[in-house]
Amino acid sequence: MRFMRSGKRGKLTLLLVLSLVAVFTLTACGGGNGSAENQQGQDNNNEQGQEAKLSGTIEIDGSSTVYPITEAVAEEFMNVNPDVLVTVGVSGSGGGFKRFTVGETDISDASRPIKDKEAAKAEENGIEYYEMPVAFDGITVVVNPDNDWVDHLTVEELKKIWEPESNVKKWSDIRPDWPDKEIKLYGPGTDSGTFDYFTEEICGDGGASRADYTASEDDNILVQGVVGDKYALGYFGYAYYAENTDKLKSVAIDNGDGPVEPTMETINNGSYSPLSRPIFIYVSKKSLERPEVKEFVKFYMENAPQLVKEVGYVPLTDEMYKDNLSKVK
């Protein structure tokens, strides 16, 4: 109590001590609360980071035509989401729908719209879905680069070659001045959406085709077949031609308005007719309830314009991709 008796100086000393005590008390309390709040904020951030981290498996199957796009998207998506495994099969549009309509896959690649009987099968199994166009494609007719006689084919000539019970066996059966050599034909199998579209547009009936040709759901096999035979002719999606322009020669198609080569521009503006078409993915609504699938489809639509070009197809308009995104959201 001695410092209280030292007059004015003692009073000032007492005030200083009390002030310092108050400051230390407030600082300690404030520091404690701040540390707790910071720790709580870090914990919340960690929890949010864990919640945002995606994992799981996404199963995709279907069209070999759509495969290059979906595979490119899957690779990029897995780069930023390494705990998500995206598997992409190639069983053709029909084969993909067989699995999709019974709930075996989350997404089905398709180079044609779903058929009525396939939609009925999906309904029967309680599979609801969204149809989402992802790009434009032009079915490309190709020959070997050593073929120096074909500069174009008419739709009528294509029909003559590919229609059921076709009598065309040699190139000279198409035009008399062409070589008297047997044509080796290569094309998609019957489960392919490209097969369905081509036969409907060229032969007048989806599925109507001669059977004596080398068929495969793997377009790379078709490419190799044409590359290895001077007298070969085949057809498949534009991307597989674009990847092999040094090994293949595309054939201009005359639909009555003069021969038109398949290019990004002619496919986009529709002048490459009648073989320009949209291609799709079909997404299960039930699968979209899983965060990894939802984020994958969002990623697909946001990155499709760039990746579609990279693999050799023609992107849709921005509005079409936005419409797909609105379905996801």
Side-chain angles (χ1 to χ4, degrees):
M1 297 295 292
R2 181 177 300 177
F3 60 87
M4 294 183 67
R5 293 177 183 172
S6 40
K8 184 175 181 181
R9 183 177 175 184
K11 292 181 179 178
L12 290 173
T13 302
L14 177 61
L15 288 173
L16 179 60
V17 170
L18 292 174
S19 297
L20 288 173
V21 170
V23 169
F24 284 132
T25 302
L26 289 172
T27 302
C29 292
N33 288 341
S35 177
E37 289 173 359
N38 288 338
Q39 183 62 43
Q40 184 177 1
Q42 290 175 1
D43 291 343
N44 288 341
N45 287 337
N46 289 337
E47 289 177 5
Q48 290 173 0
Q50 290 173 357
E51 290 173 359
K53 191 174 182 180
L54 297 174
S55 63
T57 299
I58 302 172
E59 186 79 15
I60 305 172
D61 199 355
S63 168
S64 62
T65 302
V66 186
Y67 172 83
I69 305 172
T70 301
E71 179 68 7
V73 174
E75 288 178 359
E76 295 296 328
F77 182 79
M78 287 189 289
N79 283 340
V80 295
N81 297 282
D83 292 329
V84 179
L85 174 63
V86 185
T87 63
V88 187
V90 186
S91 62
S93 296
F97 279 131
K98 285 177 184 176
R99 299 188 64 200
F100 182 75
T101 55
V102 296
E104 290 184 4
T105 57
D106 303 300
I107 297 171
S108 198
D109 291 339
S111 58
R112 59 160 173 81
I114 192 169
K115 294 180 178 178
D116 290 343
K117 62 181 181 181
E118 293 165 338
K121 186 71 172 178
E123 184 177 2
E124 177 186 328
N125 289 294
I127 306 297
E128 296 183 88
Y129 54 82
Y130 289 118
E131 176 190 85
M132 298 184 184
V134 294
F136 291 117
D137 175 38
I139 298 176
T140 305
V141 179
V142 298
V143 294
N144 187 282
D146 292 333
N147 183 321
D148 57 4
W149 59 92
V150 175
D151 58 350
H152 77 279
L153 287 166
T154 66
V155 171
E156 290 75 17
E157 287 170 335
L158 276 178
K159 181 178 181 181
K160 185 178 179 182
I161 295 168
W162 285 100
E163 65 187 350
E165 311 303 326
S166 171
N167 293 319
V168 173
K169 304 295 182 183
K170 301 178 180 180
W171 283 101
S172 55
D173 293 333
I174 305 171
R175 298 184 196 176
D177 57 332
W178 284 356
D180 187 29
K181 296 289 186 179
E182 182 181 357
I183 299 180
K184 297 291 182 65
L185 296 173
Y186 294 85
T190 56
D191 271 340
S192 167
T194 301
F195 171 83
D196 289 332
Y197 191 92
F198 183 87
T199 52
E200 182 170 345
E201 294 298 325
I202 299 302
C203 299
D205 185 15
S209 173
R210 66 189 299 165
D212 57 337
Y213 71 97
T214 300
S216 177
E217 308 300 343
D218 186 345
D219 290 342
N220 290 304
I221 292 176
L222 306 180
V223 168
Q224 293 306 312
V226 178
V227 168
D229 193 327
K230 178 178 179 178
Y231 299 101
L233 178 143
Y235 70 90
F236 37 73
Y238 180 78
Y240 289 90
Y241 163 70
E243 284 184 353
N244 297 278
T245 54
D246 58 331
K247 302 175 184 177
L248 297 169
K249 174 183 171 183
S250 66
V251 178
I253 304 301
D254 186 351
N255 193 30
D257 297 319
V260 178
E261 290 274 359
T263 66
M264 291 281 194
E265 181 180 357
T266 60
I267 293 169
N268 190 29
N269 64 27
S271 61
Y272 181 64
S273 175
L275 296 179
S276 296
R277 57 172 179 166
I279 53 180
F280 311 87
I281 62 170
Y282 284 74
V283 184
S284 164
K285 289 186 178 182
K286 183 177 180 180
S287 295
L288 272 179
E289 295 174 3
R290 299 187 349 242
E292 69 272 20
V293 177
K294 181 176 181 179
E295 291 304 315
F296 175 78
V297 178
K298 285 172 62 179
F299 186 90
Y300 201 127
M301 297 308 150
E302 290 167 354
N303 292 274
Q306 176 185 347
L307 294 176
V308 164
K309 282 184 180 179
E310 287 182 8
V311 300
Y313 288 123
V314 179
L316 307 175
T317 63
D318 290 341
E319 289 73 20
M320 296 176 79
Y321 290 120
K322 288 178 182 177
D323 182 59
N324 289 338
L325 276 170
S326 70
K327 296 174 183 176
V328 178
K329 293 176 181 178

